[in-house]
Amino acid sequence: MWDALWINASLATMRDGRYSSIEDGVLAVANGRIAYVGPRADLPIAPERAASFVHDARGAWITPGLVDCHTHLVYGGSRAREFEMRLEGASYEDIARSGGGILSTMRATRDAAVADLLASARIRLDRLAAEGVTTCEIKSGYGLNCDTELKQLRVARALEASANVAIRTTLLAAHALPPEFSGRPDEYVALVTEEIIPAAARAGLADAVDAFCEHIAFTPEQTARVFEAARAHGLNVKLHADQLSDLGGAALAAHHHALSADHLEYTSEAGVAALARAGTVAVLLPGAFYFLREKQLPPIEALRRHHVPIAISTDCNPGSSPTTSILLMLNMACTLFRLTPEEALAGTTIHAARALGLAEDRGVLAVGRRADFALWAVASPGELAYAMGANPLVSVVRGGR
Ligand SMILES: [Zn+2]
């Protein structure tokens, strides 16, 4: 006997990154894992004799639970006023003078009590969960000192206990240069590699280490030092790469066998080929592209040609992508980047799981995978990307519950 079974459903299994649909399908779970996926006609016995509970999906489509593989959703303060000022004509200098920008988020995050960080992040995470997200990655990167980076990671870990979402944490201490190290970036990188990474690893607070490789952040050489320290502590790496210029970030990420290289607007063909060779996932972030009104499109055709797995994520953050809608990102991946709805859904399931090192565990509907899935009131899975602003979620199952 299985624990539970769903009938009257169509299944988008996302096997091999395709819908791989099963009409009139059955999905069964046992011990928190998927125990059966297939057409009802192939079920050897009557559903009510196969499982303790039989759920009628009433014609819903079932997809794997969505995976948001790149967020910065634990932070203090708000940048809404900054958004307003910019639209009222303020320059970047005006905003910086009035205390805006990433350093305002740093200050607010340093000052915030753990309970307040937890409460504000919980609201954002609940919004993602309400759109079928069952696994979410959360980065630090607004502390820029050891105590606050670890505080952010602890809050991220604590969210898993209270919200109905699995959390993966990423240490992003190399996000920006804190003001106390102004003009001394190498000394800050030394703090990251010699103090913050070891402390996060010792406390078991980070699943991976990320960095922002860009002319406004850290050089490829500094990024490489961060990656070497991460590897020395047994941590996977990821990279914010080639968002505003081509510093060879994708190739650098590939060289270090990064789980993912993210943004990639300015990545060259050679960078794409390097990602393909390394098996690194390309994470595209249409929310930031939209919010910053960027013009340079990521190299979609080259990514397809080289068979690089493409993931899509919210990049939920206060400065450049203040969104908590993964479904809107599916739409934007199609409208802005010209992905197909099938590619976009693969980008928030199978390929997003791979970007977190979870490819063998979740992201597809297949026997043995973690029983994370979402039921949707749609006539076809393409509707998830098509119906901008809609939320057709019926219910979510995580770990079989
Ligand atoms: Zn980001």
Side-chain angles (χ1 to χ4, degrees):
M1 285 282 269
W2 294 317
D3 295 336
L5 177 152
W6 281 257
I7 58 170
N8 282 331
S10 298
L11 313 176
T13 67
M14 303 319 290
R15 228 184 264 253
D16 304 319
R18 312 301 304 266
Y19 289 141
S20 305
S21 301
I22 300 171
E23 309 265 347
D24 195 11
V26 167
L27 181 65
V29 305
N31 301 317
R33 298 269 149 188
I34 295 174
Y36 179 86
V37 184
R40 181 166 179 170
D42 291 356
L43 198 66
I45 51 173
E48 53 278 6
R49 296 186 54 203
S52 309
F53 287 96
V54 176
H55 301 273
D56 184 348
R58 297 166 192 263
W61 273 85
I62 301 182
T63 68
L66 302 187
V67 177
D68 195 352
C69 65
H70 179 141
T71 86
H72 310 247
L73 66 73
V74 173
Y75 60 85
S78 164
R79 305 263 286 276
R81 179 60 197 140
E82 189 180 310
F83 177 66
E84 227 171 356
M85 282 174 69
R86 208 161 351 152
L87 287 162
E88 289 163 359
S91 68
Y92 280 96
E93 291 71 34
D94 297 335
I95 290 166
R97 254 201 312 278
S98 70
I102 188 169
L103 295 182
S104 73
T105 302
M106 179 207 74
R107 280 187 290 273
T109 306
R110 285 180 178 181
D111 292 346
V114 165
D116 294 336
L117 281 180
L118 198 53
S120 62
R122 175 66 192 272
I123 291 168
R124 294 187 273 269
L125 187 62
D126 283 349
R127 287 177 184 156
L128 290 172
E131 293 193 351
V133 170
T134 51
T135 298
C136 183
E137 185 254 20
I138 300 175
K139 301 176 196 295
S140 64
Y142 294 120
L144 309 181
N145 63 30
C146 194
D147 283 355
T148 315
E149 289 290 312
L150 298 195
K151 177 171 77 171
Q152 278 191 278
L153 294 176
R154 274 192 209 97
V155 168
R157 280 282 161 85
L159 285 165
E160 180 163 76
S162 62
N164 188 31
V165 178
I167 303 296
R168 301 296 280 184
T169 55
T170 301
L171 175 68
L172 177 59
H175 191 192
L177 190 64
E180 56 271 26
F181 282 88
S182 181
R184 300 182 293 134
D186 285 316
E187 288 176 43
Y188 180 63
V189 170
L191 178 78
V192 171
T193 58
E194 291 164 23
E195 191 177 325
I196 304 180
I197 289 175
R202 258 196 318 275
L205 283 171
D207 298 308
V209 169
D210 194 345
F212 188 19
C213 181
E214 192 59 68
H215 59 265
I216 58 165
F218 297 97
T219 66
E221 294 71 27
Q222 291 160 345
T223 301
R225 290 210 288 281
V226 171
F227 281 178
E228 281 152 20
R231 287 299 189 197
H233 286 86
L235 297 171
N236 280 314
V237 299
K238 307 168 80 70
L239 187 63
H240 283 69
D242 307 333
Q243 180 187 7
L244 307 171
S245 61
D246 182 10
L247 291 187
L252 177 67
H255 178 73
H256 289 267
H257 296 282
L259 288 172
S260 69
D262 303 34
H263 285 292
L264 304 179
E265 277 82 347
Y266 285 84
T267 297
S268 66
E269 174 105 21
V272 171
L275 293 178
R277 281 193 302 275
T280 297
V281 176
V283 178
L284 305 184
L285 305 166
F289 180 91
Y290 165 82
F291 197 77
L292 297 174
R293 306 178 77 235
E294 287 182 44
K295 296 288 181 282
Q296 174 79 27
L297 286 162
I300 304 294
E301 275 313 314
L303 291 168
R304 284 179 177 138
R305 216 170 340 101
H306 290 271
H307 305 290
V308 176
I310 299 173
I312 302 295
S313 172
T314 60
D315 192 15
C316 173
N317 79 74
S320 63
S321 191
T323 180
T324 48
S325 176
I326 190 96
L327 293 175
L328 186 59
M329 296 306 106
L330 288 182
N331 177 267
M332 285 186 178
C334 298
T335 53
L336 299 175
F337 295 165
R338 312 309 290 165
L339 262 59
T340 67
E342 186 177 51
E343 286 174 321
L345 188 57
T348 50
T349 54
I350 179 171
H351 299 321
R354 177 171 295 279
L356 297 179
L358 298 171
E360 304 306 316
D361 189 63
R362 61 195 78 171
V364 296
L365 301 180
V367 171
R369 303 302 171 100
R370 195 180 138 101
D372 288 358
F373 51 91
L375 281 72
W376 308 95
V378 293
S380 70
E383 266 185 46
L384 296 176
Y386 161 75
M388 53 193 291
N391 181 5
L393 187 76
V394 177
S395 62
V396 163
V397 174
R398 183 165 83 86
R401 299 170 65 177

